[in-house]
Amino acid sequence: MTIYILLGVIFFISWEFHCISPALYQNEKKYSRWLIFWGYLLFLTGVLFSYFLIFPFTFRFLSTYQVSQEVENTILLSSYIDTLNMLSLMMGITFEIPILTWLLAKLGILSADFMAQYRKHAWVVAMIIAAIITPTSDVFTMLIVTFPIVLLYEASIFLVRHTVKKRRTKGEN
């Protein structure tokens, strides 16, 4: 968990004092700051969501899961930490959906109409991603992971619509 916070500090120091910020124009710095701030905030939100909500359910399920009476269920500290890190990293990356869609909309590759048209497909993809992320086979944990992915997708549609509208008004002037 601490490494995710330290990565933000390391990136900020390298941004301000080393090679990234001096190489950009002023308008690029504005977008970059916005992108880095929200990207890091969303990543940390995904990590915290995983740590406080998903991982307790996952750990409870895995600790009570019994293959058979002859096989004893033992959880090692290394497997506990590996599962926690994997879930945190995957949820942090998954929470970057709005940043990715904003970037694609800014480049003119993605539109809100396209995203709304393929909403049902996105929900299925969200469930598949949730099934891959969760190491358990219970539906409840998978739905807990699916819900924020779908919510982020819906927020991304709004963000893309706003971005495209803003880009069109600037292009008309």
Side-chain angles (χ1 to χ4, degrees):
M1 183 65 105
T2 307
I3 193 157
Y4 299 124
I5 296 170
L6 283 176
L7 282 174
V9 172
I10 291 168
F11 192 75
F12 174 76
I13 290 170
S14 66
W15 166 266
E16 285 296 323
F17 302 111
H18 292 291
C19 60
I20 301 172
S21 179
L24 299 175
Y25 294 111
Q26 195 60 35
N27 63 341
E28 292 171 337
K29 286 181 184 180
K30 181 183 81 165
Y31 283 120
S32 298
R33 284 188 184 118
W34 184 89
L35 193 66
I36 290 167
F37 172 76
W38 285 107
Y40 185 66
L41 187 68
L42 285 170
F43 184 82
L44 279 182
T45 303
V47 168
L48 292 174
F49 182 81
S50 170
Y51 183 77
F52 288 113
L53 192 61
I54 297 169
F55 187 70
F57 287 116
T58 301
F59 186 70
R60 187 175 311 127
F61 178 83
L62 291 175
S63 64
T64 59
Y65 185 74
Q66 193 75 27
V67 176
S68 71
Q69 297 295 338
E70 291 82 31
V71 179
E72 184 179 334
N73 191 7
T74 57
I75 298 176
L76 301 174
L77 182 59
S78 63
S79 67
Y80 176 87
I81 291 173
D82 288 345
T83 304
L84 176 64
N85 282 333
M86 189 273 304
L87 277 174
S88 298
L89 183 63
M90 290 297 112
M91 285 307 294
I93 291 170
T94 303
F95 269 59
E96 297 294 321
I97 291 171
I99 299 295
L100 180 65
T101 57
W102 175 82
L103 186 62
L104 291 174
K106 200 74 174 158
L107 294 172
I109 298 171
L110 191 62
S111 70
D113 295 334
F114 177 82
M115 291 177 71
Q117 180 182 357
Y118 290 100
R119 178 179 277 131
K120 292 177 185 178
H121 298 83
W123 282 51
V124 171
V125 169
M127 289 182 191
I128 291 169
I129 290 171
I132 291 169
I133 289 174
T134 55
T136 61
S137 61
D138 65 318
V139 177
F140 183 70
T141 307
M142 191 183 97
L143 289 176
I144 289 175
V145 174
T146 304
F147 180 70
I149 295 172
V150 168
L151 203 66
L152 287 167
Y153 184 80
E154 296 299 325
S156 295
I157 293 175
F158 175 76
L159 182 67
V160 167
R161 187 169 281 126
H162 178 72
T163 302
V164 170
K165 188 185 302 181
K166 195 173 182 183
R167 195 180 69 194
R168 284 184 186 150
T169 57
K170 281 185 179 180
E172 293 172 358
N173 290 337

